[in-house]
Amino acid sequence: MTPNSQLDLLFDPSLIPSTIQEQLGPDLHLRPLASDDHKRGHFDVLSVLTAAPSLSPKAYKENFDELKACAQTYFIIVIVDVASDKIMGSGSVIVERKFLRAAGLVGHIEDIAVSKAVQGKKLGLRIINALEEIGRVRGCYKIILDCSEKNIPFYEKCGFKHKEFEMVRYMADPKDVAKSPTPSKL
């Protein structure tokens, strides 16, 4: 496994609580996403959520750099198997600044994914716990997420409560978006 000091990480790893790492044990390492995690199977893990065609290494790095340029906004974490240097789980919290609540912050948890090979070992719970703590440290007054109906029991076990409904309107067919990502307007 590559030490954190040699990786281009999305954010400062000190934001991840050491208590979560301790719960994972010595065979798994929890850290921020790295700019070259495409080679560690990031898309393989994300594919448990939806069709996740891989980006080229160049496109992956460009997307990573765009996220990193939005400091204190995107917090993507991964759990890496130490022996194989492969990603076993991933999740993110995106921090949104509001005008409401005295310009408060809301955390949006997204893309909680655990490799099918290691599901049932509480890695999803550890990812959620770490993301909640990152949101707490950043000052979020609440953390929200959307999930499929079949995942509601898991998130209830994590302490989330069902509230309101999600609506979506796709600007393009999701299959087409996966083939040709929209270039950034930044």
Side-chain angles (χ1 to χ4, degrees):
M1 186 181 80
T2 309
N4 279 352
S5 62
Q6 296 176 5
L7 296 172
D8 178 17
L9 298 174
L10 187 59
F11 62 92
D12 182 351
S14 69
L15 288 173
I16 299 173
S18 60
T19 54
I20 306 294
Q21 177 60 56
E22 291 164 9
Q23 293 170 347
L24 290 172
D27 297 334
L28 297 171
H29 180 63
L30 178 62
R31 62 163 172 77
L33 184 74
S35 62
D36 61 351
D37 274 341
H38 62 88
K39 71 182 184 185
R40 292 181 185 87
H42 189 211
F43 282 100
D44 295 337
V45 171
L46 291 175
S47 70
V48 303
L49 300 174
T50 188
S54 186
L55 296 173
S56 70
K58 181 179 184 275
Y60 190 93
K61 176 72 164 83
E62 288 170 355
N63 194 52
F64 176 90
D65 289 343
E66 192 171 309
L67 296 175
K68 192 171 182 176
C70 300
Q72 302 299 309
T73 302
Y74 293 97
F75 300 89
I76 303 171
I77 60 175
V78 294
I79 296 176
V80 181
D81 177 75
V82 173
S84 68
D85 199 30
K86 293 292 182 193
I87 294 175
M88 298 287 110
S90 179
S92 62
V93 62
I94 296 104
V95 177
E96 173 193 12
R97 170 72 63 192
K98 306 290 276 187
F99 279 98
L100 299 171
R101 307 260 181 161
L105 298 173
V106 173
H108 298 264
I109 288 183
E110 293 280 341
D111 303 332
I112 303 303
V114 175
S115 168
K116 288 184 180 182
V118 292
Q119 287 181 359
K121 297 185 177 188
K122 298 190 182 279
L123 298 188
L125 175 63
R126 302 296 177 244
I127 291 168
I128 292 289
N129 293 156
L131 295 172
E132 285 179 317
E133 189 56 29
I134 291 168
R136 189 174 289 108
V137 168
R138 283 284 296 120
C140 293
Y141 70 88
K142 72 177 177 180
I143 294 178
I144 59 178
L145 60 81
D146 294 322
C147 69
S148 63
E149 190 172 354
K150 69 180 174 104
N151 289 332
I152 289 173
F154 167 73
Y155 290 110
E156 286 177 336
K157 284 183 201 173
C158 294
F160 286 84
K161 298 185 180 355
H162 187 249
K163 184 179 183 212
E164 300 174 6
F165 299 93
E166 172 193 19
M167 303 292 288
V168 65
R169 182 169 183 180
Y170 291 103
M171 300 294 108
D173 184 326
K175 293 179 205 107
D176 294 336
V177 171
K179 293 176 192 165
S180 60
T182 305
S184 170
K185 304 294 186 240
L186 294 180

